[in-house]
Amino acid sequence: MPTILVTGALGQIGSELVPALRTRYGADNVIATDLKVLPPSGAAALAPYGHLDCTEANQLHEAVRRYDVGSIYHLAALLSASAEAAPQLAWSVNMSGLYNVLEVAREYGCQVFFPSSIGAFGPTTPRDSTPQVTVQRPTTIYGITKVAGELLCDYYASRFGIDTRGLRLPGLISYVAAPGGGTTDYAVEMFYHALRYGRYTCFLSAATRLDMMYMPDAIAAMMDLMAADSGRLRYRNAYNVTAMSVTPAEIGAAIARHVPSFAVDYEVDPVRQAIADSWPRSLDDSAAHHDWGFAPRYDLEAMTADMLARLRSKLAAARSR
Ligand code: NAD
Ligand code: AKB
């Protein structure tokens, strides 16, 4: 069983991917790493856990060598809104970090997972049923690093034979860890605010339509893609995947079917609205269904019911501590 290394493991995805990988492959075989330095008790609870800055190539080499790593899930990155606030840092983390991961993978023969995004598309991309292969001229630094990342992964696969794989993920909705500076964060915030305050002020306009997915479907998709038959992967580094195409108004209405007094108002943030307006309204993910059996389980209604139930338990447990 080759050891798996996860970078950016303390983020929204890593907080659920690491436990899922450990359940499938064994706790000792999954090394969680992040830029954040945890206190000894925190690191012990997440063991095996280590500090790792992906912009420092030597730290990656040391971890891959020490743990005999065979597979890397490279999650460390700045998300769209954070990246727009610090474009130089975003380039460094998102591009140098990925380059370092690919170089160490080339040296040690590791498999690599790279999460691209709907942010890899731009305003000149067809916005409805966005094809798998289409125009990609993003206008955000985040999107530019995602397109460049897709291409770099393609290059390492064709030039060096590295087994790179990736998904163009939509906005992810989850209850374990808070999202980290994205444009789709409103969708998660809406659930917390519904249960805590009964109301939410949304930073995107009511009719802004974007693709979303519930985290359990995203985790399953990542692990299924990594385990798929390589010969079937026509678009190995950038599969469109989605589970629902929704607006803030529609998510608000779905929550209100469970929390009848829930109210949403809107104070549009021009920066994040401009980012959202440059992204697809819905993706065509038929290639993922066809090539490796992608099959999300949660639509808007199922996600909303599960999310509210889980979040209610989480908030009640936090209150009783
Ligand atoms: P996140 O912001 O929640 O977590 C990122 C983690 O990376 C953080 O814990 C942070 O401490 C860490 N990090 C930052 N700089 C680092 C560095 N130099 N070295 C090591 N770690 C560093 O992000 P996430 O939502 O978990 O996303 C993970 C990946 O998935 C990113 O590449 C993101 O672009 C992609 N993605 C996420 C979503 C989503 O909705 N969450 C959607 C599409 C794509
Ligand atoms: C973001 O909003 O930046 C992310 C993404 C869709 O890539 N959630």
Side-chain angles (χ1 to χ4, degrees):
M1 172 65 227
T3 305
I4 297 169
L5 180 83
V6 181
T7 71
L10 298 181
Q12 188 191 5
I13 296 179
S15 299
E16 299 195 47
L17 178 64
V18 167
L21 288 170
R22 285 179 174 169
T23 298
R24 187 177 295 181
Y25 299 112
D28 292 343
N29 293 321
V30 181
I31 317 297
T33 69
D34 199 282
L35 184 62
K36 289 175 192 150
V37 179
L38 292 179
S41 59
L46 267 179
Y49 173 82
H51 166 263
L52 192 157
D53 180 347
C54 67
T55 65
E56 298 289 340
N58 59 327
Q59 294 184 13
L60 272 163
H61 277 262
E62 170 58 17
V64 168
R65 197 190 51 71
R66 171 153 31 123
Y67 295 109
D68 194 18
V69 169
S71 185
I72 304 173
Y73 285 75
H74 177 48
L75 305 181
L78 262 62
L79 274 74
S80 56
S82 303
E84 223 41 58
Q88 297 79 3
L89 178 65
W91 181 263
S92 166
V93 176
N94 295 14
M95 289 316 305
S96 302
L98 176 61
Y99 173 76
N100 290 339
V101 165
L102 290 170
E103 271 298 287
V104 80
R106 182 178 65 79
E107 196 169 321
Y108 293 91
C110 307
Q111 189 190 32
V112 175
F113 174 79
F114 166 68
S116 186
S117 160
I118 51 172
F121 298 110
T124 51
T125 302
R127 293 191 69 201
D128 296 305
S129 202
T130 301
Q132 174 65 45
V133 180
T134 185
V135 179
Q136 286 183 271
R137 304 282 296 172
T139 46
T140 62
I141 188 67
Y142 179 66
I144 291 165
T145 65
K146 289 301 182 190
V147 180
E150 292 178 5
L151 295 174
L152 199 58
C153 288
D154 281 348
Y155 181 76
Y156 271 72
S158 62
R159 177 78 169 77
F160 302 119
I162 303 305
D163 185 3
T164 53
R165 304 182 181 202
L167 300 172
R168 291 188 188 126
L169 292 167
L172 300 181
I173 299 176
S174 68
Y175 57 88
V176 174
T183 302
T184 58
D185 294 9
Y186 83 82
V188 178
E189 291 171 6
M190 212 177 247
F191 284 90
Y192 278 86
H193 284 239
L195 294 183
R196 281 185 173 140
Y197 316 116
R199 56 180 310 106
Y200 178 66
T201 302
C202 186
F203 57 76
L204 295 184
S205 67
T208 306
R209 183 169 295 286
L210 292 169
D211 280 297
M212 299 277 172
M213 196 188 294
Y214 196 31
M215 191 62 87
D217 282 333
I219 300 297
M222 290 176 221
M223 291 169 61
D224 289 351
L225 175 67
M226 289 294 268
D229 174 0
S230 176
R232 292 185 59 92
L233 302 180
R234 289 174 295 161
Y235 311 102
R236 57 172 43 249
N237 290 307
Y239 275 99
N240 286 0
V241 285
T242 184
M244 60 195 94
S245 162
V246 287
T247 65
E250 289 166 356
I251 299 179
I255 294 174
R257 287 194 271 282
H258 299 261
V259 185
S261 60
F262 182 50
V264 183
D265 59 12
Y266 297 88
E267 262 176 41
V268 169
D269 167 16
V271 174
R272 285 178 286 188
Q273 185 66 51
I275 295 173
D277 288 343
S278 75
W279 288 356
R281 284 185 284 257
S282 65
L283 296 185
D284 172 2
D285 60 0
S286 51
H289 286 264
H290 176 270
D291 289 6
W292 48 276
F294 171 62
R297 291 166 45 227
Y298 291 88
D299 61 10
L300 176 60
E301 295 306 327
M303 177 276 292
T304 302
D306 197 67
M307 185 70 188
L308 286 170
R310 306 270 183 174
L311 208 47
R312 270 200 186 98
S313 310
K314 178 180 169 176
L315 296 177
R319 273 196 301 274
S320 67
R321 273 203 291 273

